[in-house]
PDB file of all heavy atoms in Angstrom:
ATOM      1  N   SER A 170      93.276 -81.931  25.190  1.00  0.00           N
ATOM      2  CA  SER A 170      92.003 -82.116  25.910  1.00  0.00           C
ATOM      3  C   SER A 170      92.098 -83.078  27.011  1.00  0.00           C
ATOM      4  O   SER A 170      91.384 -83.010  28.020  1.00  0.00           O
ATOM      5  CB  SER A 170      90.820 -82.320  24.989  1.00  0.00           C
ATOM      6  OG  SER A 170      90.997 -83.585  24.370  1.00  0.00           O
ATOM      7  N   ALA A 171      92.904 -84.127  26.790  1.00  0.00           N
ATOM      8  CA  ALA A 171      93.024 -85.194  27.832  1.00  0.00           C
ATOM      9  C   ALA A 171      93.728 -84.677  29.083  1.00  0.00           C
ATOM     10  O   ALA A 171      93.344 -85.073  30.176  1.00  0.00           O
ATOM     11  CB  ALA A 171      93.840 -86.337  27.245  1.00  0.00           C
ATOM     12  N   ILE A 172      94.661 -83.745  28.887  1.00  0.00           N
ATOM     13  CA  ILE A 172      95.291 -83.145  30.038  1.00  0.00           C
ATOM     14  C   ILE A 172      94.310 -82.241  30.835  1.00  0.00           C
ATOM     15  O   ILE A 172      94.227 -82.311  32.038  1.00  0.00           O
ATOM     16  CB  ILE A 172      96.538 -82.265  29.591  1.00  0.00           C
ATOM     17  CG1 ILE A 172      97.516 -83.169  28.868  1.00  0.00           C
ATOM     18  CG2 ILE A 172      97.166 -81.616  30.820  1.00  0.00           C
ATOM     19  CD1 ILE A 172      98.088 -84.278  29.684  1.00  0.00           C
ATOM     20  N   THR A 173      93.520 -81.458  30.051  1.00  0.00           N
ATOM     21  CA  THR A 173      92.521 -80.663  30.722  1.00  0.00           C
ATOM     22  C   THR A 173      91.509 -81.480  31.497  1.00  0.00           C
ATOM     23  O   THR A 173      91.179 -81.128  32.679  1.00  0.00           O
ATOM     24  CB  THR A 173      91.724 -79.818  29.654  1.00  0.00           C
ATOM     25  OG1 THR A 173      92.674 -78.996  28.943  1.00  0.00           O
ATOM     26  CG2 THR A 173      90.683 -78.947  30.314  1.00  0.00           C
ATOM     27  N   LEU A 174      91.026 -82.576  30.910  1.00  0.00           N
ATOM     28  CA  LEU A 174      90.109 -83.478  31.610  1.00  0.00           C
ATOM     29  C   LEU A 174      90.696 -84.080  32.854  1.00  0.00           C
ATOM     30  O   LEU A 174      90.059 -84.216  33.856  1.00  0.00           O
ATOM     31  CB  LEU A 174      89.589 -84.550  30.647  1.00  0.00           C
ATOM     32  CG  LEU A 174      88.698 -84.094  29.493  1.00  0.00           C
ATOM     33  CD1 LEU A 174      88.423 -85.209  28.572  1.00  0.00           C
ATOM     34  CD2 LEU A 174      87.357 -83.569  30.034  1.00  0.00           C
ATOM     35  N   THR A 175      91.988 -84.455  32.730  1.00  0.00           N
ATOM     36  CA  THR A 175      92.670 -85.027  33.867  1.00  0.00           C
ATOM     37  C   THR A 175      92.766 -84.071  35.039  1.00  0.00           C
ATOM     38  O   THR A 175      92.475 -84.395  36.172  1.00  0.00           O
ATOM     39  CB  THR A 175      94.104 -85.521  33.435  1.00  0.00           C
ATOM     40  OG1 THR A 175      93.931 -86.526  32.389  1.00  0.00           O
ATOM     41  CG2 THR A 175      94.794 -86.168  34.615  1.00  0.00           C
ATOM     42  N   LEU A 176      93.216 -82.827  34.709  1.00  0.00           N
ATOM     43  CA  LEU A 176      93.363 -81.840  35.796  1.00  0.00           C
ATOM     44  C   LEU A 176      92.043 -81.416  36.390  1.00  0.00           C
ATOM     45  O   LEU A 176      91.995 -80.984  37.525  1.00  0.00           O
ATOM     46  CB  LEU A 176      94.133 -80.636  35.242  1.00  0.00           C
ATOM     47  CG  LEU A 176      95.592 -80.892  34.830  1.00  0.00           C
ATOM     48  CD1 LEU A 176      96.239 -79.654  34.353  1.00  0.00           C
ATOM     49  CD2 LEU A 176      96.417 -81.550  35.946  1.00  0.00           C
ATOM     50  N   ASN A 177      91.029 -81.531  35.607  1.00  0.00           N
ATOM     51  CA  ASN A 177      89.711 -81.225  36.080  1.00  0.00           C
ATOM     52  C   ASN A 177      88.994 -82.360  36.843  1.00  0.00           C
ATOM     53  O   ASN A 177      87.852 -82.237  37.271  1.00  0.00           O
ATOM     54  CB  ASN A 177      88.795 -80.766  34.970  1.00  0.00           C
ATOM     55  CG  ASN A 177      89.137 -79.339  34.397  1.00  0.00           C
ATOM     56  OD1 ASN A 177      89.819 -78.599  35.077  1.00  0.00           O
ATOM     57  ND2 ASN A 177      88.725 -79.065  33.167  1.00  0.00           N
ATOM     58  N   GLY A 178      89.748 -83.466  36.970  1.00  0.00           N
ATOM     59  CA  GLY A 178      89.213 -84.595  37.663  1.00  0.00           C
ATOM     60  C   GLY A 178      88.197 -85.427  36.903  1.00  0.00           C
ATOM     61  O   GLY A 178      87.463 -86.255  37.510  1.00  0.00           O
ATOM     62  N   LYS A 179      88.094 -85.212  35.563  1.00  0.00           N
ATOM     63  CA  LYS A 179      87.079 -85.940  34.766  1.00  0.00           C
ATOM     64  C   LYS A 179      87.727 -87.091  33.976  1.00  0.00           C
ATOM     65  O   LYS A 179      87.027 -87.777  33.251  1.00  0.00           O
ATOM     66  CB  LYS A 179      86.410 -84.940  33.811  1.00  0.00           C
ATOM     67  CG  LYS A 179      85.638 -83.893  34.503  1.00  0.00           C
ATOM     68  CD  LYS A 179      84.929 -82.918  33.557  1.00  0.00           C
ATOM     69  CE  LYS A 179      84.140 -81.840  34.244  1.00  0.00           C
ATOM     70  NZ  LYS A 179      83.515 -80.909  33.319  1.00  0.00           N
ATOM     71  N   ARG A 180      89.046 -87.274  34.153  1.00  0.00           N
ATOM     72  CA  ARG A 180      89.719 -88.382  33.533  1.00  0.00           C
ATOM     73  C   ARG A 180      90.776 -88.848  34.483  1.00  0.00           C
ATOM     74  O   ARG A 180      91.528 -88.116  35.010  1.00  0.00           O
ATOM     75  CB  ARG A 180      90.352 -87.943  32.200  1.00  0.00           C
ATOM     76  CG  ARG A 180      91.253 -88.977  31.480  1.00  0.00           C
ATOM     77  CD  ARG A 180      91.962 -88.392  30.266  1.00  0.00           C
ATOM     78  NE  ARG A 180      92.819 -89.396  29.666  1.00  0.00           N
ATOM     79  CZ  ARG A 180      94.091 -89.597  30.057  1.00  0.00           C
ATOM     80  NH1 ARG A 180      94.587 -88.867  31.045  1.00  0.00           N
ATOM     81  NH2 ARG A 180      94.845 -90.487  29.490  1.00  0.00           N
ATOM     82  N   ARG A 181      90.830 -90.176  34.721  1.00  0.00           N
ATOM     83  CA  ARG A 181      91.761 -90.766  35.651  1.00  0.00           C
ATOM     84  C   ARG A 181      93.164 -90.851  35.026  1.00  0.00           C
ATOM     85  O   ARG A 181      93.271 -91.327  33.910  1.00  0.00           O
ATOM     86  CB  ARG A 181      91.307 -92.127  36.104  1.00  0.00           C
ATOM     87  CG  ARG A 181      92.234 -92.764  37.107  1.00  0.00           C
ATOM     88  CD  ARG A 181      91.661 -94.144  37.569  1.00  0.00           C
ATOM     89  NE  ARG A 181      92.592 -94.837  38.378  1.00  0.00           N
ATOM     90  CZ  ARG A 181      92.708 -94.662  39.700  1.00  0.00           C
ATOM     91  NH1 ARG A 181      91.911 -93.782  40.332  1.00  0.00           N
ATOM     92  NH2 ARG A 181      93.532 -95.390  40.422  1.00  0.00           N
ATOM     93  N   MET A 182      94.185 -90.334  35.702  1.00  0.00           N
ATOM     94  CA  MET A 182      95.523 -90.472  35.221  1.00  0.00           C
ATOM     95  C   MET A 182      95.971 -91.924  35.269  1.00  0.00           C
ATOM     96  O   MET A 182      95.792 -92.629  36.302  1.00  0.00           O
ATOM     97  CB  MET A 182      96.446 -89.595  36.086  1.00  0.00           C
ATOM     98  CG  MET A 182      97.938 -89.601  35.618  1.00  0.00           C
ATOM     99  SD  MET A 182      98.976 -88.633  36.745  1.00  0.00           S
ATOM    100  CE  MET A 182      98.292 -86.961  36.513  1.00  0.00           C
ATOM    101  N   GLN A 183      96.573 -92.397  34.195  1.00  0.00           N
ATOM    102  CA  GLN A 183      97.135 -93.732  34.192  1.00  0.00           C
ATOM    103  C   GLN A 183      98.442 -93.840  34.918  1.00  0.00           C
ATOM    104  O   GLN A 183      99.226 -92.804  34.965  1.00  0.00           O
ATOM    105  CB  GLN A 183      97.272 -94.204  32.752  1.00  0.00           C
ATOM    106  CG  GLN A 183      95.976 -94.192  31.954  1.00  0.00           C
ATOM    107  CD  GLN A 183      94.917 -95.123  32.488  1.00  0.00           C
ATOM    108  OE1 GLN A 183      95.195 -96.275  32.719  1.00  0.00           O
ATOM    109  NE2 GLN A 183      93.730 -94.579  32.660  1.00  0.00           N
ATOM    110  N   LEU A 184      98.816 -94.956  35.383  1.00  0.00           N
ATOM    111  CA  LEU A 184     100.029 -95.123  36.175  1.00  0.00           C
ATOM    112  C   LEU A 184     101.268 -94.826  35.303  1.00  0.00           C
ATOM    113  O   LEU A 184     102.229 -94.234  35.735  1.00  0.00           O
ATOM    114  CB  LEU A 184     100.161 -96.490  36.750  1.00  0.00           C
ATOM    115  CG  LEU A 184      99.237 -96.760  37.973  1.00  0.00           C
ATOM    116  CD1 LEU A 184      99.336 -98.235  38.331  1.00  0.00           C
ATOM    117  CD2 LEU A 184      99.561 -95.922  39.171  1.00  0.00           C
ATOM    118  N   ASP A 185     101.221 -95.280  34.032  1.00  0.00           N
ATOM    119  CA  ASP A 185     102.369 -94.976  33.212  1.00  0.00           C
ATOM    120  C   ASP A 185     102.496 -93.535  32.866  1.00  0.00           C
ATOM    121  O   ASP A 185     103.542 -92.984  32.706  1.00  0.00           O
ATOM    122  CB  ASP A 185     102.267 -95.880  31.913  1.00  0.00           C
ATOM    123  CG  ASP A 185     101.082 -95.407  31.017  1.00  0.00           C
ATOM    124  OD1 ASP A 185      99.928 -95.440  31.527  1.00  0.00           O
ATOM    125  OD2 ASP A 185     101.311 -95.074  29.855  1.00  0.00           O
ATOM    126  N   GLU A 186     101.332 -92.837  32.795  1.00  0.00           N
ATOM    127  CA  GLU A 186     101.380 -91.409  32.571  1.00  0.00           C
ATOM    128  C   GLU A 186     101.961 -90.715  33.792  1.00  0.00           C
ATOM    129  O   GLU A 186     102.780 -89.730  33.568  1.00  0.00           O
ATOM    130  CB  GLU A 186      99.938 -90.895  32.349  1.00  0.00           C
ATOM    131  CG  GLU A 186      99.256 -91.358  31.040  1.00  0.00           C
ATOM    132  CD  GLU A 186      97.842 -90.979  30.919  1.00  0.00           C
ATOM    133  OE1 GLU A 186      97.318 -90.325  31.847  1.00  0.00           O
ATOM    134  OE2 GLU A 186      97.219 -91.396  29.901  1.00  0.00           O
ATOM    135  N   ALA A 187     101.687 -91.155  34.950  1.00  0.00           N
ATOM    136  CA  ALA A 187     102.251 -90.566  36.187  1.00  0.00           C
ATOM    137  C   ALA A 187     103.787 -90.664  36.110  1.00  0.00           C
ATOM    138  O   ALA A 187     104.490 -89.722  36.440  1.00  0.00           O
ATOM    139  CB  ALA A 187     101.700 -91.247  37.418  1.00  0.00           C
ATOM    140  N   SER A 188     104.299 -91.847  35.687  1.00  0.00           N
ATOM    141  CA  SER A 188     105.696 -92.030  35.634  1.00  0.00           C
ATOM    142  C   SER A 188     106.354 -91.062  34.602  1.00  0.00           C
ATOM    143  O   SER A 188     107.387 -90.491  34.876  1.00  0.00           O
ATOM    144  CB  SER A 188     106.028 -93.485  35.269  1.00  0.00           C
ATOM    145  OG  SER A 188     107.379 -93.705  35.096  1.00  0.00           O
ATOM    146  N   ARG A 189     105.688 -90.891  33.460  1.00  0.00           N
ATOM    147  CA  ARG A 189     106.274 -90.042  32.408  1.00  0.00           C
ATOM    148  C   ARG A 189     106.114 -88.572  32.834  1.00  0.00           C
ATOM    149  O   ARG A 189     107.009 -87.783  32.463  1.00  0.00           O
ATOM    150  CB  ARG A 189     105.549 -90.327  31.091  1.00  0.00           C
ATOM    151  CG  ARG A 189     105.804 -91.691  30.579  1.00  0.00           C
ATOM    152  CD  ARG A 189     105.029 -92.045  29.307  1.00  0.00           C
ATOM    153  NE  ARG A 189     105.548 -91.259  28.212  1.00  0.00           N
ATOM    154  CZ  ARG A 189     104.967 -91.202  27.039  1.00  0.00           C
ATOM    155  NH1 ARG A 189     103.791 -91.813  26.824  1.00  0.00           N
ATOM    156  NH2 ARG A 189     105.500 -90.459  26.058  1.00  0.00           N
ATOM    157  N   ILE A 190     105.077 -88.202  33.554  1.00  0.00           N
ATOM    158  CA  ILE A 190     104.931 -86.807  34.054  1.00  0.00           C
ATOM    159  C   ILE A 190     106.041 -86.535  35.038  1.00  0.00           C
ATOM    160  O   ILE A 190     106.599 -85.449  35.001  1.00  0.00           O
ATOM    161  CB  ILE A 190     103.531 -86.598  34.683  1.00  0.00           C
ATOM    162  CG1 ILE A 190     102.450 -86.641  33.582  1.00  0.00           C
ATOM    163  CG2 ILE A 190     103.492 -85.269  35.439  1.00  0.00           C
ATOM    164  CD1 ILE A 190     101.057 -86.614  34.080  1.00  0.00           C
ATOM    165  N   ALA A 191     106.333 -87.468  35.890  1.00  0.00           N
ATOM    166  CA  ALA A 191     107.424 -87.294  36.813  1.00  0.00           C
ATOM    167  C   ALA A 191     108.778 -87.031  36.098  1.00  0.00           C
ATOM    168  O   ALA A 191     109.557 -86.177  36.507  1.00  0.00           O
ATOM    169  CB  ALA A 191     107.557 -88.523  37.734  1.00  0.00           C
ATOM    170  N   THR A 192     108.993 -87.720  35.013  1.00  0.00           N
ATOM    171  CA  THR A 192     110.179 -87.527  34.173  1.00  0.00           C
ATOM    172  C   THR A 192     110.145 -86.142  33.570  1.00  0.00           C
ATOM    173  O   THR A 192     111.162 -85.408  33.571  1.00  0.00           O
ATOM    174  CB  THR A 192     110.302 -88.570  33.115  1.00  0.00           C
ATOM    175  OG1 THR A 192     110.350 -89.882  33.709  1.00  0.00           O
ATOM    176  CG2 THR A 192     111.490 -88.344  32.218  1.00  0.00           C
ATOM    177  N   PHE A 193     108.980 -85.747  33.072  1.00  0.00           N
ATOM    178  CA  PHE A 193     108.865 -84.450  32.413  1.00  0.00           C
ATOM    179  C   PHE A 193     109.094 -83.312  33.389  1.00  0.00           C
ATOM    180  O   PHE A 193     109.773 -82.296  33.039  1.00  0.00           O
ATOM    181  CB  PHE A 193     107.410 -84.355  31.858  1.00  0.00           C
ATOM    182  CG  PHE A 193     107.136 -83.067  31.072  1.00  0.00           C
ATOM    183  CD1 PHE A 193     107.672 -82.928  29.781  1.00  0.00           C
ATOM    184  CD2 PHE A 193     106.342 -82.098  31.580  1.00  0.00           C
ATOM    185  CE1 PHE A 193     107.396 -81.717  29.064  1.00  0.00           C
ATOM    186  CE2 PHE A 193     106.075 -80.917  30.886  1.00  0.00           C
ATOM    187  CZ  PHE A 193     106.616 -80.751  29.623  1.00  0.00           C
ATOM    188  N   LEU A 194     108.614 -83.460  34.599  1.00  0.00           N
ATOM    189  CA  LEU A 194     108.731 -82.333  35.598  1.00  0.00           C
ATOM    190  C   LEU A 194     110.032 -82.503  36.403  1.00  0.00           C
ATOM    191  O   LEU A 194     110.468 -81.479  37.044  1.00  0.00           O
ATOM    192  CB  LEU A 194     107.560 -82.393  36.543  1.00  0.00           C
ATOM    193  CG  LEU A 194     106.193 -82.093  35.959  1.00  0.00           C
ATOM    194  CD1 LEU A 194     105.089 -82.240  37.014  1.00  0.00           C
ATOM    195  CD2 LEU A 194     106.107 -80.710  35.324  1.00  0.00           C
ATOM    196  N   GLY A 195     110.646 -83.661  36.354  1.00  0.00           N
ATOM    197  CA  GLY A 195     111.875 -83.871  37.176  1.00  0.00           C
ATOM    198  C   GLY A 195     111.570 -83.961  38.640  1.00  0.00           C
ATOM    199  O   GLY A 195     112.325 -83.465  39.473  1.00  0.00           O
ATOM    200  N   VAL A 196     110.478 -84.637  39.012  1.00  0.00           N
ATOM    201  CA  VAL A 196     110.093 -84.824  40.371  1.00  0.00           C
ATOM    202  C   VAL A 196     109.909 -86.311  40.699  1.00  0.00           C
ATOM    203  O   VAL A 196     109.702 -87.122  39.728  1.00  0.00           O
ATOM    204  CB  VAL A 196     108.786 -84.056  40.707  1.00  0.00           C
ATOM    205  CG1 VAL A 196     109.012 -82.587  40.481  1.00  0.00           C
ATOM    206  CG2 VAL A 196     107.582 -84.588  39.890  1.00  0.00           C
ATOM    207  N   PRO A 197     109.896 -86.764  41.905  1.00  0.00           N
ATOM    208  CA  PRO A 197     109.647 -88.171  42.238  1.00  0.00           C
ATOM    209  C   PRO A 197     108.237 -88.574  41.795  1.00  0.00           C
ATOM    210  O   PRO A 197     107.264 -87.820  41.916  1.00  0.00           O
ATOM    211  CB  PRO A 197     109.765 -88.247  43.760  1.00  0.00           C
ATOM    212  CG  PRO A 197     110.590 -87.032  44.094  1.00  0.00           C
ATOM    213  CD  PRO A 197     110.223 -85.953  43.106  1.00  0.00           C
ATOM    214  N   VAL A 198     108.124 -89.797  41.287  1.00  0.00           N
ATOM    215  CA  VAL A 198     106.817 -90.251  40.853  1.00  0.00           C
ATOM    216  C   VAL A 198     105.789 -90.356  41.976  1.00  0.00           C
ATOM    217  O   VAL A 198     104.593 -90.153  41.795  1.00  0.00           O
ATOM    218  CB  VAL A 198     106.929 -91.653  40.156  1.00  0.00           C
ATOM    219  CG1 VAL A 198     107.361 -92.743  41.128  1.00  0.00           C
ATOM    220  CG2 VAL A 198     105.669 -92.042  39.416  1.00  0.00           C
ATOM    221  N   GLU A 199     106.312 -90.512  43.203  1.00  0.00           N
ATOM    222  CA  GLU A 199     105.432 -90.575  44.379  1.00  0.00           C
ATOM    223  C   GLU A 199     104.708 -89.244  44.574  1.00  0.00           C
ATOM    224  O   GLU A 199     103.551 -89.208  44.956  1.00  0.00           O
ATOM    225  CB  GLU A 199     106.226 -90.900  45.629  1.00  0.00           C
ATOM    226  CG  GLU A 199     106.761 -92.352  45.702  1.00  0.00           C
ATOM    227  CD  GLU A 199     108.031 -92.553  44.883  1.00  0.00           C
ATOM    228  OE1 GLU A 199     108.585 -91.553  44.362  1.00  0.00           O
ATOM    229  OE2 GLU A 199     108.432 -93.707  44.785  1.00  0.00           O
ATOM    230  N   GLU A 200     105.402 -88.139  44.241  1.00  0.00           N
ATOM    231  CA  GLU A 200     104.761 -86.794  44.354  1.00  0.00           C
ATOM    232  C   GLU A 200     103.636 -86.663  43.316  1.00  0.00           C
ATOM    233  O   GLU A 200     102.581 -86.110  43.584  1.00  0.00           O
ATOM    234  CB  GLU A 200     105.779 -85.726  44.103  1.00  0.00           C
ATOM    235  CG  GLU A 200     106.731 -85.478  45.299  1.00  0.00           C
ATOM    236  CD  GLU A 200     105.943 -84.935  46.483  1.00  0.00           C
ATOM    237  OE1 GLU A 200     105.249 -83.897  46.354  1.00  0.00           O
ATOM    238  OE2 GLU A 200     106.012 -85.565  47.554  1.00  0.00           O
ATOM    239  N   VAL A 201     103.864 -87.115  42.082  1.00  0.00           N
ATOM    240  CA  VAL A 201     102.867 -87.109  41.058  1.00  0.00           C
ATOM    241  C   VAL A 201     101.655 -87.920  41.442  1.00  0.00           C
ATOM    242  O   VAL A 201     100.530 -87.548  41.357  1.00  0.00           O
ATOM    243  CB  VAL A 201     103.435 -87.546  39.685  1.00  0.00           C
ATOM    244  CG1 VAL A 201     102.322 -87.643  38.663  1.00  0.00           C
ATOM    245  CG2 VAL A 201     104.552 -86.624  39.237  1.00  0.00           C
ATOM    246  N   LEU A 202     101.896 -89.159  41.920  1.00  0.00           N
ATOM    247  CA  LEU A 202     100.817 -90.047  42.345  1.00  0.00           C
ATOM    248  C   LEU A 202      99.980 -89.431  43.477  1.00  0.00           C
ATOM    249  O   LEU A 202      98.787 -89.469  43.440  1.00  0.00           O
ATOM    250  CB  LEU A 202     101.354 -91.403  42.749  1.00  0.00           C
ATOM    251  CG  LEU A 202     101.968 -92.240  41.617  1.00  0.00           C
ATOM    252  CD1 LEU A 202     102.750 -93.449  42.202  1.00  0.00           C
ATOM    253  CD2 LEU A 202     100.912 -92.734  40.645  1.00  0.00           C
ATOM    254  N   LYS A 203     100.676 -88.874  44.447  1.00  0.00           N
ATOM    255  CA  LYS A 203      99.964 -88.292  45.571  1.00  0.00           C
ATOM    256  C   LYS A 203      99.090 -87.127  45.140  1.00  0.00           C
ATOM    257  O   LYS A 203      97.926 -87.077  45.549  1.00  0.00           O
ATOM    258  CB  LYS A 203     100.995 -87.803  46.629  1.00  0.00           C
ATOM    259  CG  LYS A 203     100.374 -87.185  47.849  1.00  0.00           C
ATOM    260  CD  LYS A 203     101.462 -86.744  48.810  1.00  0.00           C
ATOM    261  CE  LYS A 203     102.224 -85.529  48.333  1.00  0.00           C
ATOM    262  NZ  LYS A 203     103.202 -85.015  49.347  1.00  0.00           N
ATOM    263  N   ASN A 204      99.583 -86.256  44.310  1.00  0.00           N
ATOM    264  CA  ASN A 204      98.810 -85.088  43.884  1.00  0.00           C
ATOM    265  C   ASN A 204      97.766 -85.445  42.799  1.00  0.00           C
ATOM    266  O   ASN A 204      96.829 -84.620  42.556  1.00  0.00           O
ATOM    267  CB  ASN A 204      99.717 -83.968  43.417  1.00  0.00           C
ATOM    268  CG  ASN A 204     100.467 -83.306  44.535  1.00  0.00           C
ATOM    269  OD1 ASN A 204      99.868 -82.478  45.232  1.00  0.00           O
ATOM    270  ND2 ASN A 204     101.731 -83.666  44.747  1.00  0.00           N
ATOM    271  N   ALA A 205      97.898 -86.602  42.273  1.00  0.00           N
ATOM    272  CA  ALA A 205      96.863 -87.041  41.271  1.00  0.00           C
ATOM    273  C   ALA A 205      95.785 -87.838  41.957  1.00  0.00           C
ATOM    274  O   ALA A 205      94.808 -88.274  41.344  1.00  0.00           O
ATOM    275  CB  ALA A 205      97.511 -87.931  40.211  1.00  0.00           C
ATOM    276  N   GLY A 206      95.935 -88.066  43.314  1.00  0.00           N
ATOM    277  CA  GLY A 206      94.942 -88.783  44.017  1.00  0.00           C
ATOM    278  C   GLY A 206      95.010 -90.263  43.842  1.00  0.00           C
ATOM    279  O   GLY A 206      93.985 -90.969  44.050  1.00  0.00           O
ATOM    280  N   LEU A 207      96.177 -90.790  43.375  1.00  0.00           N
ATOM    281  CA  LEU A 207      96.354 -92.209  43.197  1.00  0.00           C
ATOM    282  C   LEU A 207      97.035 -92.715  44.405  1.00  0.00           C
ATOM    283  O   LEU A 207      98.241 -92.499  44.676  1.00  0.00           O
ATOM    284  CB  LEU A 207      97.186 -92.465  41.935  1.00  0.00           C
ATOM    285  CG  LEU A 207      96.576 -91.999  40.629  1.00  0.00           C
ATOM    286  CD1 LEU A 207      97.537 -92.159  39.451  1.00  0.00           C
ATOM    287  CD2 LEU A 207      95.211 -92.690  40.377  1.00  0.00           C
TER     288      LEU A 207
END
């Protein structure tokens, strides 16, 4: 549910989460931060 809330813009993504999502997807963390609105 935390992922759903995050993608719906109702929960702010944490910086450490952005780093781990970048690892999970295999993309630069800058891309994750940009698309998360951070």
Side-chain angles (χ1 to χ4, degrees):
S170 63
I172 301 299
T173 300
L174 291 172
T175 300
L176 295 182
N177 288 340
K179 296 181 179 179
R180 174 184 176 275
R181 181 178 174 82
M182 183 183 295
Q183 302 297 311
L184 287 174
D185 66 304
E186 292 173 2
S188 177
R189 296 177 69 190
I190 290 172
T192 299
F193 184 74
L194 296 176
V196 299
V198 67
E199 289 80 7
E200 285 295 305
V201 175
L202 291 169
K203 180 178 70 174
N204 286 283
L207 299 175

